[in-house]
Amino acid sequence: MWQAEHIRDRLSGLWAGAEVSILGMTTKGDQILDRPLSQIGGKGLFIKELEVAMQEGRADLAVHSLKDVPMEMPEGFSLTAITARENPRDAFVSNKYAGLDALPAGAVVGTSSLRREAILRAKYPQLKIEPLRGNLDTRLRKLDEGQYDAIILAAAGLIRLGLKDRIKAVLTPEQSLPAPGQGALGIEVPADRADAAAWVAPLNDPDTAYCVTAERAFSRALGGSCQVPLGGYAVIEDGQLWLRGFVATPDGKEMVADELRGQPEDADTIGRVLAQRLRDEGADAILAKLAACA
């Protein structure tokens, strides 16, 4: 709800006198909290009901956490604006330990992401990785009850909800490469609603949009989904867009990673070229194994 309220407030500030209201909805992805997303249908579970509401005229637009948006947008809808990014990195949360390197062998770490699981298993094989589902309050409660020694969450979600003090360490991209779109909000509108697109256009942040475009193009070219342990993270540095990406098996035993730099205006191409580079370096074999296990 935070993200909808945030965009509502920004639109109200932009368009004086406009009435902006929230149509509260709970998606299937919000309702099924006892199984990993990869087992219940993936990221589309978070947006389908919202798109139906737009098709039926009950809503003009939808606000999404971009990391939860499928790489292929359904026909008739478009991501019209991408807002300035909050911290896109992963956060280490624990009541007993200062960071991943401080965890003893056998420590239990909770995560809801195959991407994070693959990274942890590759870099910290001595740890015990367990699934973690539920809303943010539920995940923190499970940690506080002692079910986990540490959990890994998106830093952006904790910061936005005023829970920054729960973060013991923000993981570097070298420790845990973020998911495509992590930390950014995307505003989806029906493709035929030029009026709605104009309303939200001022909220678009060009630098964030370039970075997310590259990340999503990279993921899309590799068939990125909740079933594929994949990271993609771009920044603009010295006027250039720097994209890093990897794909791995869930056990972390096989991983292919690379990076590419180019002009921000070529973000989509950079993403696709980096994906092809990973394929040339062996990613296809990993993807074939993942498909066989699906």
Side-chain angles (χ1 to χ4, degrees):
M1 185 60 78
W2 178 94
Q3 57 201 37
E5 293 173 346
H6 174 69
I7 297 301
R8 177 200 61 195
D9 294 345
R10 291 199 62 189
L11 288 173
S12 296
L14 278 170
W15 306 107
E19 181 182 348
V20 185
S21 59
I22 296 175
L23 174 65
M25 299 182 67
T26 301
T27 67
K28 191 171 293 185
D30 299 312
Q31 295 166 356
I32 304 174
L33 301 177
D34 59 345
R35 284 169 285 164
L37 282 177
S38 58
Q39 296 179 8
I40 61 175
K43 297 180 178 182
L45 292 176
F46 286 104
I47 69 172
K48 181 62 179 176
E49 289 95 335
L50 308 182
E51 289 169 345
V52 170
M54 287 189 284
Q55 287 175 326
E56 294 176 349
R58 293 182 288 123
D60 297 300
L61 56 93
V63 183
H64 306 297
S65 175
L66 263 183
K67 70 181 180 62
D68 295 330
V69 177
M71 297 304 139
E72 296 286 353
M73 294 299 296
E75 185 176 353
F77 294 94
S78 65
L79 279 173
T80 302
I82 297 171
T83 65
R85 208 172 205 173
E86 183 49 87
N87 191 321
R89 299 181 183 180
D90 287 335
F92 176 89
V93 182
S94 175
N95 295 324
K96 298 183 288 185
Y97 302 99
L100 282 170
D101 292 331
L103 291 170
V108 179
V109 180
T111 176
S112 60
S113 159
L114 283 180
R115 169 186 62 86
R116 294 176 184 137
E117 179 179 349
I119 291 171
L120 290 168
R121 292 190 185 281
K123 297 182 178 181
Y124 300 91
Q126 76 277 16
L127 301 178
K128 184 177 181 181
I129 314 304
E130 295 287 352
L132 174 68
R133 287 281 286 142
N135 60 31
L136 187 55
D137 287 341
T138 298
R139 297 181 193 194
L140 292 172
R141 175 180 55 77
K142 290 178 179 179
L143 172 70
D144 293 341
E145 290 174 348
Q147 296 183 39
Y148 303 89
D149 294 296
I151 59 178
I152 310 297
L153 303 169
L158 290 161
I159 293 169
R160 285 168 175 157
L161 293 177
L163 296 169
K164 186 176 180 179
D165 62 340
R166 294 300 305 259
I167 299 174
K168 280 295 179 67
V170 175
L171 303 182
T172 66
E174 290 73 26
Q175 289 177 298
S176 185
L177 197 72
Q182 186 161 307
L185 299 181
I187 304 176
E188 181 184 18
V189 302
D192 59 359
R193 289 291 305 276
D195 57 340
W199 298 339
V200 303
L203 301 182
N204 188 65
D205 181 74
D207 283 356
T208 300
Y210 284 136
C211 290
V212 169
T213 294
E215 294 163 9
R216 287 175 60 82
F218 168 76
S219 180
R220 187 182 307 114
L222 291 170
S225 70
C226 286
Q227 290 80 29
V228 178
L230 175 152
Y233 177 52
V235 296
I236 294 179
E237 186 178 87
D238 297 327
Q240 283 199 316
L241 188 147
W242 175 25
L243 174 64
R244 285 172 279 182
F246 80 88
V247 64
T249 53
D251 60 12
K253 292 181 179 179
E254 297 179 59
M255 181 179 293
V256 180
D258 211 328
E259 60 185 67
L260 187 64
R261 297 177 187 261
Q263 295 303 307
E265 295 80 5
D266 297 326
D268 187 84
T269 299
I270 292 170
R272 290 186 283 109
V273 170
L274 182 60
Q276 185 57 55
R277 182 177 292 183
L278 261 64
R279 287 185 179 276
D280 294 341
E281 295 169 357
D284 278 342
I286 293 175
L287 295 171
K289 289 183 178 180
L290 297 173
C293 295

